[in-house]
Amino acid sequence: MGFDLTPAYISLKVTLTATLIIFFLGLLIAWWMTNYNGRFKLVIDGVLTLPLVLPPTVAGFILLVLIGKNGPVGQFMSLFGVNIIFSWYAAVIASVFVAFPLMYRTVMGAFEQIDHNILSAARTLGASEWTVFWKIAVPAARPGIAAATALTFARCLGEFGATLMVAGNIPGKTTTIPLAIYFATQSNNMEVAVIWVAIIMVISLTVLIVMNYWEAHQKKLRKGASD
Amino acid sequence: MLDLKIEKKLADFNLSMQLKTDEKLIGILGSSGSGKSMLLKCIAGLVKPDNGRIQIDQDILYDADQKIDLPIRKRRVGFLFQNYALFPNMTVVENICFGIDGEKEKKHEQAMNLIEKYYLTEIKDRYPGQISGGQQQRVALARAIASKPEIMLLDEPFSALDVHLRNRMIHEMQLFLKDFDGIALFVTHNMEEAYQLCDHIAVVADGGIESFQDKKELFKSPGSVSTAQITGCKNVSAAKKKDEQHVFVVDWGVTLKLAAKVSCESGFVGMRANQIKVIDQPEGENCLKVWMVDEAETLFKTSVFVRIDGIPLKDKDYHLHLIMVYEERKRILGNDFFIRLPAESLFFMEE
């Protein structure tokens, strides 16, 4: 029996794309929210965090309504001849939707921990707001950002429920590793399931451990010697 | 020239400050929570006042009436933070380069000049976490000066340093300020630091500027009770005028002579703890017999607390606080002794 490797390829493609999108979106929105002190702060924060606590089926349902053939986004995209639903784009959107709050929350926590004087110092030295964000805030919050990225990556890789609802299980097209495990188990194909379970555990664990080592190494670079 | 008028409602008090001066080096002395740091933040643009005007030489940084509010990055202020606020992810050179405009090579050249000037050559490639507090302060100064500020705002720069380092850094700061040709505001709660570094001192209390004057004048005759206390005066009492040069001191129950003329009917008198003299025999004016109630020794000096009307039976309430060196302390033999409050050291304050 030939072992079909396409789920691994699709999973990596979807996960990397989604993580990349979440990374920049999460940084920008977290920074904006850190500096925003308007009256709707708590409401906006609630909305942005919501997908984290929703059941996957609810997240999937909402996305289905939005990006389905008759949904506003789906109809708009069909003008350009692009069909999102049941494509790997849909899998990316599902991952972004579900994993975004993880990035946003963790990064905002890291931004809030930054010594405010550092940001003020940069501004008095003539830095623009963009420079303050990109050159000062992001590097200062780097441990938190790195942790958030690792978590996001792992969460995207493991995304199942919402993906199933909007991207379906089309072998060679939208079947990711978690979906492959589910359907292999359903059809009593236990050997295939075990292999995928092992692979996904190795990838997730590797990413988390590498991130830990990288962070420890960075810390040592900046402190080390004198202490 | 510095010309400012700031009004701002804060959670626990109202900030209302006005200062206009041609002086270059100004000490801002006040206890914590008096609003002195807030003043610096308003000048830098980190906090927006509710009302007022801030002008430095020809540049208007803020004017509520004209709706001018320059963004922080255009104000050309150098801010030295209490914790120095160095960028932890940048080396010393990179920190200094941050505030310099221009091409990369020019930036680097200017930064290297400053690095040499501030004795940072050996640590130029280290990160802030790898250098000492004194070095951090030097980097922060070099970084601030690199951006060519018109005004330097120094926010309690020595409070994070160990004592032995503090004296050296105060000396370095003196050299730095001598070299700097803009305006410098030095905020501190420590009167000795203010006295050492600045010739003119503004005393801040309850969100306002109580007085602004030459430091020698300020310490000799503080205009108000709160100024007296902030400048370290330990003995203050309500007083009533008797004649041109004599007052009855209410709390101490004695009449004393002042060198200066008494300006109004009732007010307060102040006497610095280190200017009270221990004497062997009561001769001349302002001599008092006192009883010691308590003593607190420090390394080089001792604080003696005395009462004027005899030893209290129960409490340890005292009338006067004396500070003297141990040599002087030897002159006190028994429990009771004589002191003199020199007329020229006693000052009168209006209510």
Side-chain angles (χ1 to χ4, degrees):
Chain A
M1 180 191 84
F3 187 77
D4 180 17
L5 269 172
T6 53
Y9 165 69
I10 293 165
S11 259
L12 281 180
K13 184 167 77 171
V14 168
T15 301
L16 288 175
T17 312
T19 307
L20 198 72
I21 293 171
I22 295 171
F23 180 81
F24 288 105
L25 208 61
L27 286 190
L28 284 172
I29 293 180
W31 180 241
W32 180 76
M33 279 296 281
T34 310
N35 292 300
Y36 172 74
N37 280 311
R39 54 208 284 210
F40 299 114
K41 186 175 172 104
L42 299 180
V43 176
I44 298 172
D45 181 70
V47 172
L48 291 173
T49 311
L50 190 62
L52 192 65
V53 294
L54 286 179
T57 46
V58 173
F61 181 83
I62 292 170
L63 285 176
L64 209 52
V65 169
L66 284 175
I67 65 173
K69 282 225 162 59
N70 299 316
V73 180
Q75 292 221 322
F76 177 75
M77 290 311 282
S78 68
L79 291 177
F80 305 96
V82 178
N83 179 37
I84 310 175
I85 200 85
F86 300 123
S87 70
W88 77 277
Y89 301 127
V92 170
I93 291 171
S95 287
V96 169
F97 187 82
V98 170
F100 169 80
L102 212 56
M103 185 79 190
Y104 157 74
R105 282 255 133 192
T106 318
V107 171
M108 192 162 77
F111 279 150
E112 280 167 353
Q113 294 294 313
I114 300 176
D115 171 13
H116 221 271
N117 286 347
I118 292 177
L119 307 174
S120 299
R123 291 187 178 111
T124 62
L125 290 168
S128 66
E129 282 310 301
W130 176 255
T131 309
V132 172
F133 167 68
W134 195 241
K135 290 271 174 65
I136 307 296
V138 169
R142 197 163 58 182
I145 293 172
T149 310
L151 286 176
T152 302
F153 179 89
R155 178 70 186 82
C156 288
L157 189 65
E159 167 49 31
F160 174 74
T163 307
L164 179 61
M165 283 181 76
V166 296
N169 178 39
I170 308 170
K173 227 179 124 196
T174 64
T175 302
T176 58
I177 300 175
L179 290 166
I181 294 169
Y182 180 72
F183 286 101
T185 317
Q186 287 292 296
S187 52
N188 218 4
N189 207 342
M190 294 314 260
E191 289 108 51
V192 173
V194 164
I195 292 171
W196 284 125
V197 165
I199 289 174
I200 211 158
M201 283 180 76
V202 168
I203 296 177
S204 294
L205 198 61
T206 308
V207 166
L208 295 177
I209 291 174
V210 165
M211 210 52 115
N212 281 345
Y213 272 99
W214 181 75
E215 216 19 72
H217 176 69
Q218 289 291 323
K219 238 185 215 163
K220 220 169 141 192
L221 263 189
R222 281 192 236 162
K223 285 228 167 109
S226 73
D227 325 293
Chain B
M1 182 208 56
L2 176 68
D3 182 8
L4 62 85
K5 186 169 181 276
I6 294 171
E7 309 223 341
K8 168 127 189 115
K9 260 198 160 68
L10 295 168
D12 33 1
F13 62 94
N14 286 340
L15 199 70
S16 174
M17 293 184 174
Q18 204 164 352
L19 187 66
K20 187 173 180 176
T21 176
D22 286 319
E23 292 301 328
K24 290 280 196 189
L25 178 51
I26 303 150
I28 311 278
L29 182 63
S31 48
S32 55
S34 60
K36 55 194 195 316
S37 291
M38 194 52 82
L39 169 68
L40 294 195
K41 285 182 180 160
C42 286
I43 295 173
L46 300 170
V47 170
K48 191 182 170 186
D50 298 334
N51 219 330
R53 211 180 115 82
I54 302 168
Q55 184 176 355
I56 295 166
D57 295 330
Q58 300 308 313
D59 302 332
I60 300 168
L61 304 188
Y62 175 79
D63 190 326
D65 295 334
Q66 292 186 56
K67 300 221 179 317
I68 296 174
D69 184 16
L70 275 191
I72 308 167
R73 65 175 189 280
K74 293 196 174 145
R75 291 197 178 201
R76 299 188 55 201
V77 296
F79 206 122
L80 190 68
F81 292 88
Q82 227 174 89
N83 60 356
Y84 313 130
L86 298 177
F87 307 129
N89 56 305
M90 299 186 193
T91 62
V92 169
V93 191
E94 288 166 344
N95 261 282
I96 294 171
C97 278
F98 189 89
I100 306 176
D101 279 329
E103 293 159 32
K104 213 175 174 191
E105 281 147 39
K106 246 187 166 173
K107 263 172 140 175
H108 197 258
E109 194 188 307
Q110 280 185 44
M112 289 313 289
N113 284 340
L114 285 165
I115 280 171
E116 211 165 295
K117 192 169 165 191
Y118 287 88
Y119 310 105
L120 299 167
T121 313
E122 276 175 32
I123 55 159
K124 69 181 171 60
D125 294 318
R126 295 215 200 147
Y127 288 95
Q130 301 169 329
I131 61 179
S132 74
Q135 290 168 330
Q136 284 182 26
Q137 181 166 33
R138 270 191 234 133
V139 176
L141 273 177
R143 184 180 67 174
I145 214 72
S147 65
K148 299 199 167 62
E150 284 189 324
I151 183 166
M152 275 297 292
L153 305 173
L154 313 165
D155 189 8
E156 304 239 8
F158 307 116
S159 58
L161 297 175
D162 292 338
V163 182
H164 71 278
L165 203 57
R166 188 178 298 197
N167 292 325
R168 210 178 77 207
M169 292 316 291
I170 290 176
H171 179 66
E172 283 187 21
M173 184 68 82
Q174 271 173 325
L175 298 177
F176 167 81
L177 290 171
K178 209 179 270 177
D179 203 38
F180 177 64
D181 63 349
I183 300 169
L185 293 191
F186 172 70
V187 158
T188 181
H189 64 271
N190 183 322
M191 55 154 181
E192 282 184 39
E193 287 176 8
Y195 198 89
Q196 251 178 299
L197 281 169
C198 309
D199 291 332
H200 286 76
I201 295 174
V203 175
V204 173
D206 298 322
I209 294 179
E210 289 254 319
S211 69
F212 175 63
Q213 53 188 320
D214 181 88
K215 67 177 173 189
K216 295 208 169 108
E217 266 318 294
L218 175 71
F219 280 83
K220 211 175 145 201
S221 63
S224 68
V225 174
S226 54
T227 302
Q229 280 163 346
I230 293 164
T231 56
C233 179
K234 306 275 193 245
N235 303 304
V236 173
S237 162
K240 287 195 163 56
K241 181 177 179 177
K242 279 223 151 166
D243 59 47
E244 285 278 278
Q245 287 195 304
H246 288 85
V247 290
F248 175 71
V249 185
V250 180
D251 296 355
W252 310 335
V254 292
T255 298
L256 295 173
K257 182 174 190 260
L258 273 68
K261 280 187 179 171
V262 181
S263 54
C264 67
E265 283 307 311
S266 68
F268 293 87
V269 290
M271 179 79 218
R272 296 194 183 275
N274 59 343
Q275 284 169 342
I276 300 174
K277 302 268 183 294
V278 177
I279 50 174
D280 300 328
Q281 286 301 321
E283 282 167 33
E285 69 219 4
N286 291 358
C287 291
L288 302 170
K289 185 176 188 185
V290 292
W291 284 261
M292 195 193 294
V293 284
D294 204 359
E295 183 169 8
E297 296 182 359
T298 59
L299 199 51
F300 301 112
K301 289 175 179 174
T302 180
S303 278
V304 174
F305 301 90
V306 300
R307 272 190 85 87
I308 294 167
D309 52 3
I311 303 174
L313 293 173
K314 279 182 187 164
D315 55 9
K316 284 202 164 187
D317 257 358
Y318 62 91
H319 286 133
L320 288 166
H321 179 172
L322 287 63
I323 295 178
M324 63 192 80
V325 293
Y326 286 102
E327 200 58 35
E328 180 94 352
R329 173 72 179 81
K330 283 181 195 158
R331 302 179 63 176
I332 304 174
L333 299 170
N335 225 337
D336 52 331
F337 56 101
F338 294 100
I339 58 169
R340 185 168 65 225
L341 311 180
E344 60 278 8
S345 303
L346 264 173
F347 51 86
F348 185 79
M349 297 162 284
E350 292 180 19
E351 267 175 288

